[in-house]
Amino acid sequence: MRPFTYERATSPADASAKAASIPGARFIAGGTNLLDLMKLQIETPAHLIDVNGLGLDKIEETPDGGLRVGALVRNTDLAADMRVRRHYAVLSRALVAGASGQLRNVATTAGNLLQRTRCPYFYDPNQPCNKRQPGSGCSAIGGVSRQLGVVGTSEACIATHPSDMAVAMRVLDATVETVRPGGATRAIPIAELHRLPGDTPHVETSLERGELITAVTLPKPVGGAQLYHKVRDRASYAFALVSVAAIVQPDGTGRVALGGVAPKPWRVEAAEAHMKQGAKAVTAGLLADARPTDDNRFKVRLAERTLAAVLAEARG
């Protein structure tokens, strides 16, 4: 691990301003992803800004009946909150499906959204990776790609986003609140937070330099049966091959988002118009632009079957 300097931020605006003004600065909270990457020298921050003391660890009700989840709320606490379990069950289920109990006790809401891909080529400094070193190439293309993306990918990168929580947030239409270096705040729809790779896979979000996530707001509950199914190579502590977050209403309408198939939580609202027609019709819309490799072509069919199981459970 390379040497770095460290300080504790005194306010969100202070943290944002310092991150923007100090070259190589990074925020740290739980550190469950960042510290691993630092040990491998994939991330080499010159300065760490600890944001744990900023009081962003509350879950509060909003005037319109939703919830405002602080950026530092731990995954365990969010999953266990009775308001989340009662009104946003898809989120609670997705959180419990992720990582391990020990990691969920430390991992934060903002950190979960911003965790980096688990593509094996990204984690291997001996292999070219455009996400790790822009312009070096993508070893996954033409390599072992079973775990990687089938839709939303590009000629520069086929990595997937690893978060379970983010998939549930996407189906719930959450909004990400931030503070910028100058102190101004903004609200980013979850659909616009993560970027597709295009020619710049190393630019993973729409956040500006130094911009700090302060909260995630969940809108007023929409009801319905809320489910999260995750298909993986082992029963726990594994990233999704395919995951499905769904909200199904009594009349058969609903929402669907996929994980494990794209560089961001994958939702195509137009496909949801076919919910009453069944999983095959919805999946055809969700993955209409899929470009799978020979290794991961099975994910298209797996997504359809997983969605079919979700719909069957939702309809009893």
Side-chain angles (χ1 to χ4, degrees), residues 7-308:
E7 69 175 305
R8 292 186 175 93
T10 58
S11 71
D14 170 65
S16 181
K18 287 180 177 176
S21 63
I22 301 173
R26 290 291 304 273
F27 301 121
I28 187 167
T32 57
N33 187 204
L34 178 59
L35 292 177
D36 283 344
L37 294 173
M38 289 172 65
K39 291 173 185 177
L40 294 170
Q41 296 193 23
I42 294 170
E43 292 273 7
T44 56
H47 185 70
L48 291 183
I49 301 171
D50 190 330
V51 296
N52 281 295
L54 300 184
L56 305 176
D57 57 353
K58 306 294 190 300
I59 304 173
E60 303 168 312
E61 297 179 11
T62 62
D64 65 353
L67 285 180
R68 185 176 186 271
V69 181
L72 296 174
V73 172
R74 267 45 188 183
N75 287 178
T76 294
D77 296 331
L78 183 58
D81 187 278
M82 287 307 301
R83 295 164 294 184
V84 175
R85 295 176 63 186
R86 183 178 299 115
H87 300 299
Y88 306 96
V90 64
L91 176 57
S92 183
R93 293 180 181 211
L95 284 161
V96 172
S100 66
Q102 293 93 331
L103 285 171
R104 292 194 297 270
N105 287 343
V106 178
T108 64
T109 299
N112 193 307
L113 289 175
L114 298 179
Q115 62 183 302
R116 305 198 69 186
T117 184
R118 263 54 176 197
C119 172
Y121 297 100
F122 172 74
Y123 268 80
D124 184 353
N126 295 312
Q127 299 288 337
C129 172
N130 288 320
K131 190 178 285 291
R132 192 181 64 246
Q133 185 177 353
S136 63
C138 177
S139 299
I141 297 176
V144 178
S145 54
R146 181 175 181 273
Q147 295 276 351
L148 303 179
V150 299
V151 68
T153 57
S154 73
E155 296 299 321
C157 182
I158 61 172
T160 55
H161 193 272
S163 173
D164 293 290
M165 185 194 78
V167 183
M169 293 284 196
R170 179 68 181 90
V171 86
L172 289 167
D173 282 329
T175 300
V176 178
E177 299 178 14
T178 70
V179 61
R180 288 167 160 171
T185 61
R186 69 166 171 158
I188 306 171
I190 189 73
E192 299 174 13
L193 176 65
H194 301 102
R195 290 170 48 118
L196 294 179
D199 296 328
T200 57
H202 61 291
V203 183
E204 297 174 344
T205 72
S206 58
L207 297 177
E208 301 172 358
R209 179 177 172 181
E211 192 168 7
L212 175 69
I213 294 177
T214 54
V216 177
T217 301
L218 304 175
K220 183 179 179 179
V222 296
Q226 300 190 15
L227 299 167
Y228 186 79
H229 281 207
K230 180 178 181 179
V231 182
R232 45 191 163 178
D233 284 330
R234 57 179 183 265
S236 66
Y237 199 53
F239 295 98
L241 289 170
V242 167
S243 65
V244 173
I247 301 175
V248 185
Q249 301 297 343
D251 64 359
T253 61
R255 306 175 183 178
V256 178
L258 301 180
V261 299
K264 61 187 292 184
W266 195 253
R267 183 179 173 197
V268 179
E269 282 85 343
E272 296 167 358
H274 304 292
M275 287 284 283
K276 292 184 179 181
Q277 299 173 36
K280 186 173 184 178
V282 177
T283 306
L286 282 168
L287 300 179
D289 298 323
R291 298 191 302 169
T293 67
D294 290 341
D295 279 353
N296 63 23
R297 195 173 305 279
F298 72 93
K299 285 192 175 190
V300 176
R301 181 65 172 148
L302 183 59
E304 180 186 326
R305 290 181 174 180
T306 307
L307 177 56

